[in-house]
Amino acid sequence: MSVASFQDQLKEQGIELTERQVEQFEIYFHTLVEWNEKMNLTAITDKEEVYRKHFYDSVTAAFYFDFTNEIHVCDVGAGAGFPSIPLKILFPNIHVTIVDSLNKRISFLNHLATELGLEGVSFYHDRAELFGKNEKFRHEFDVVMARAVARTSVLAELCLPLVRTDGTFIAMKGANAQEELANAENAIELLGGKLQRVEHFSLPNNDGERNIVIIDKKRKTPKKYPRKPGVPNKNPL
Ligand SMILES: C[S@@+](CC[C@H](N)C(=O)[O-])C[C@H]1O[C@@H](n2cnc3c(N)ncnc32)[C@H](O)[C@@H]1O
């Protein structure tokens, strides 16, 4: 996806990029590729691919959820910043907190935030299982989201404890979202969530099936969740 078609596709969704935002995506691309030579951030480095599979894919969440308010968003396992940094570029009003268990990715994000001149972003090196136990963050966020981190049953235990009651958990998924959801029903219920809806679509040029799973937080998560690091993955609820 060329920069021009990235702009056009967003325009079709009613999102018109300013010159500054176009420049910020350009800086993001260059910083990502430069740092990727020193550390493993992404397998995708071709410019058109980065724009389609990282930038555009990340911002599709905004086609189905309103990010225009001053909400607090937590991105669990954001790696090189996806999906929350592209969303922050589009919606500077949102507050972004990223938690990732790989410290070198946190170093990259700190550098990137300076390069992009971002304000209202915080990055934490931690396991989501421990972060979700921390009273400073538990039940604190309006929205918690994740892309390509774990299957939905596991992801629910990493993300739902961080969502405030009446907040939203957004899981950005590929083709097998429905099957993952069927296996996650029990976990979602136990953790205080309720499925609101699944948005199903393809990336432009039929390049990949996508599903955005939107889960409402109905009740506080019981104290015992999340369990110890590694347990959600080993033994999903
Ligand atoms: C495959 S990458 C995906 C990165 C990004 N979300 C994306 O869509 O490109 C998964 C990321 O999740 C992080 N991660 C995996 N399990 C985690 C956990 N339990 N707590 C915090 N971060 C975790 C990894 O360090 C890695 O950066």
Side-chain angles (χ1 to χ4, degrees), residues 200-223:
H200 179 82
F201 60 98
S202 294
L203 286 184
N205 305 326
N206 278 336
D207 187 11
E209 194 182 326
R210 293 288 184 273
N211 288 282
I212 294 185
V213 179
I214 302 179
I215 291 166
D216 294 324
K217 181 80 177 273
K218 293 291 187 191
R219 291 170 280 107
K220 280 195 166 180
T221 301
K223 266 206 171 80

Side-chain angles (χ1 to χ4, degrees), residues 5-72:
S5 88
F6 178 63
Q7 284 176 268
D8 289 346
Q9 294 283 345
L10 291 185
K11 209 170 176 177
E12 270 182 31
Q13 300 287 338
I15 301 170
E16 204 150 341
L17 292 184
T18 62
E19 264 178 44
R20 173 66 183 143
Q21 288 168 322
V22 172
E23 184 192 34
Q24 284 175 308
F25 279 110
E26 193 72 26
I27 295 169
Y28 197 166
F29 168 69
H30 286 294
T31 312
L32 179 70
V33 169
E34 188 192 325
W35 276 58
N36 203 46
E37 283 170 16
K38 299 180 277 187
M39 63 174 68
N40 178 21
L41 291 168
T42 176
I44 300 167
T45 53
D46 174 71
K47 188 168 182 178
E48 298 220 351
E49 293 276 287
V50 169
Y51 271 75
R52 182 171 62 244
K53 294 195 171 158
H54 284 323
F55 297 165
Y56 181 83
D57 191 32
S58 291
V59 303
T60 55
F63 305 161
Y64 306 102
F65 189 88
D66 183 9
F67 286 91
T68 59
N69 298 314
E70 204 189 317
I71 51 173
H72 286 81

Side-chain angles (χ1 to χ4, degrees), residues 28-222:
Y28 197 166
F29 168 69
H30 286 294
T31 312
L32 179 70
V33 169
E34 188 192 325
W35 276 58
N36 203 46
E37 283 170 16
K38 299 180 277 187
M39 63 174 68
N40 178 21
L41 291 168
T42 176
I44 300 167
T45 53
D46 174 71
K47 188 168 182 178
E48 298 220 351
E49 293 276 287
V50 169
Y51 271 75
R52 182 171 62 244
K53 294 195 171 158
H54 284 323
F55 297 165
Y56 181 83
D57 191 32
S58 291
V59 303
T60 55
F63 305 161
Y64 306 102
F65 189 88
D66 183 9
F67 286 91
T68 59
N69 298 314
E70 204 189 317
I71 51 173
H72 286 81
V73 177
C74 179
D75 188 353
V76 170
F82 307 119
S84 57
I85 299 297
L87 287 166
K88 173 71 182 170
I89 294 173
L90 288 192
F91 304 97
N93 49 283
I94 65 173
H95 299 265
V96 169
T97 297
I98 286 177
V99 55
D100 199 287
S101 54
L102 256 191
N103 204 23
K104 57 184 187 170
R105 297 200 170 132
I106 298 297
S107 309
F108 166 75
L109 291 170
N110 278 313
H111 174 78
L112 178 70
T114 306
E115 294 292 299
L116 297 177
L118 300 181
E119 284 171 13
V121 289
S122 318
F123 308 125
Y124 295 90
H125 172 223
D126 203 355
R127 297 276 308 213
E129 294 93 325
L130 300 174
F131 200 70
K133 286 270 193 217
N134 186 331
E135 286 306 323
K136 230 178 115 189
F137 305 111
R138 186 177 177 86
H139 297 138
E140 281 300 316
F141 295 95
D142 301 304
V143 174
V144 178
M145 51 198 317
R147 188 189 81 148
V149 174
R151 58 200 188 277
T152 307
S153 53
V154 177
L155 203 58
E157 190 169 350
L158 304 182
C159 294
L160 271 169
L162 294 162
V163 186
R164 68 165 170 83
T165 304
D166 295 328
T168 312
F169 162 39
I170 302 175
M172 303 187 71
K173 291 281 162 189
N176 42 6
Q178 289 296 351
E179 189 189 327
E180 284 192 22
L181 248 185
N183 291 322
E185 267 176 26
N186 182 45
I188 293 167
E189 159 69 24
L190 267 179
L191 296 157
K194 188 172 191 303
L195 178 66
Q196 187 201 101
R197 63 188 209 275
V198 181
E199 295 286 354
H200 179 82
F201 60 98
S202 294
L203 286 184
N205 305 326
N206 278 336
D207 187 11
E209 194 182 326
R210 293 288 184 273
N211 288 282
I212 294 185
V213 179
I214 302 179
I215 291 166
D216 294 324
K217 181 80 177 273
K218 293 291 187 191
R219 291 170 280 107
K220 280 195 166 180
T221 301

